């Protein structure tokens, strides 16, 4: 299920890149002014409204945070981040993390299980050139809670069945 969520994040990143392409280019090129960043921020929020996405970042090819739904993170250097490096080489990388508190674009959320995915941003006519990396955080807390509930139910069924067999013997 986590692999399915990773595929979902990758598809979402491609959809964002396709839909926001002309707004992303100045950000990746390091030439976006405040008005362009505000426009991109508003468009990202409107596209993601109601989805399980908690945060989006865009890194330029060199690992500088060119855009983040959390504005204070813009400019940070993530060039040594393993996920960033894997995505820059063309592979999608994901990591399941738990955060007691997390600053999402809808405010601070608490006690969340998140899937952080790093997805290459491909540009050019052949979509072969990597110009940057998306980092998308999806909230998997409800999914993981359902998995835990299902595991507890399965264990209860197995224990009850084995106990009934034991008593019958």
């Amino acid at each position: 299920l986590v692999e399915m969520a990773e595929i979902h994040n990758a598809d979402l990143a491609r959809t964002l890149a396709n839909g926001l392409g002309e707004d992303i280019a100045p950000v990746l090129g390091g030439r976006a002014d405040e008005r362009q960043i505000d426009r991109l921020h508003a468009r990202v929020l409107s596209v993601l409204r109601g989805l399980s996405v908690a945060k989006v970042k865009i890194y330029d090819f060199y690992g500088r945070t060119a855009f983040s739904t959390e504005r204070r993170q813009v400019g940070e250097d993530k060039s040594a981040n393993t996920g960033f490096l894997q995505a820059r080489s063309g592979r999608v990388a994901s990591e399941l993390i738990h955060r007691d508190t997390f600053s999402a674009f809808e405010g601070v959320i608490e006690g969340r299980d998140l899937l952080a995915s790093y997805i290459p941003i491909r540009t050019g006519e052949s979509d072969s050139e990597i110009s940057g990396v998306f980092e998308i955080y999806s909230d998997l807390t409800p999914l993981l809670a359902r998995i835990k509930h299902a595991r507890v139910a399965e264990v209860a069924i197995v224990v009850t069945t084995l106990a009934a067999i034991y008593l019958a013997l």
Side-chain angles (χ1 to χ4, degrees):
L1 290 173
V2 171
E3 287 176 19
M4 292 294 294
E6 179 181 288
I7 291 168
H8 170 75
N9 275 1
D11 288 344
L12 182 58
R14 286 184 195 98
T15 301
L16 276 172
N18 292 340
L20 305 172
E22 56 192 48
D23 290 329
I24 293 174
V27 171
L28 287 174
R31 59 188 189 282
D33 59 26
E34 194 65 31
R35 184 182 56 78
Q36 289 171 311
I37 291 173
D38 288 342
R39 178 179 165 184
L40 178 59
H41 192 266
R43 288 195 61 204
V44 167
L45 293 182
S46 70
V47 168
L48 299 178
R49 184 167 290 125
L51 299 179
S52 63
V53 176
K55 184 186 290 188
V56 173
K57 294 182 186 180
I58 299 174
Y59 301 106
D60 67 14
F61 186 77
Y62 304 102
R64 185 184 65 84
T65 306
F67 172 81
S68 176
T69 51
E70 186 177 349
R71 299 270 179 112
R72 66 181 175 83
Q73 294 179 328
V74 172
E76 291 180 350
D77 181 8
K78 297 294 183 177
S79 59
N81 180 290
T82 304
F84 166 78
L85 292 171
Q86 287 179 342
R88 192 175 78 174
S89 70
R91 296 184 311 265
V92 174
S94 293
E95 176 184 17
L96 186 61
I97 56 175
H98 178 82
R99 294 281 196 240
D100 292 328
T101 59
F102 185 79
S103 181
F105 54 75
E106 294 181 348
V108 175
I109 55 177
E110 297 181 354
R112 302 317 245 172
D113 294 303
L114 303 162
L115 182 69
S117 295
Y118 298 84
I119 302 106
I121 299 172
R122 298 183 186 275
T123 57
E125 290 182 23
S126 66
D127 277 343
S128 61
E129 182 182 330
I130 296 173
S131 59
V133 172
F134 269 111
E135 181 180 16
I136 296 180
Y137 289 87
S138 290
D139 186 358
L140 297 186
T141 305
L143 173 66
L144 294 178
R146 284 194 300 261
I147 291 171
K148 183 178 179 182
H149 184 303
R151 282 185 184 163
V152 169
E154 289 171 0
V155 168
I157 290 169
V158 169
V159 167
T160 302
T161 303
L162 290 175
I165 292 171
Y166 181 75
L167 289 174
L169 292 174

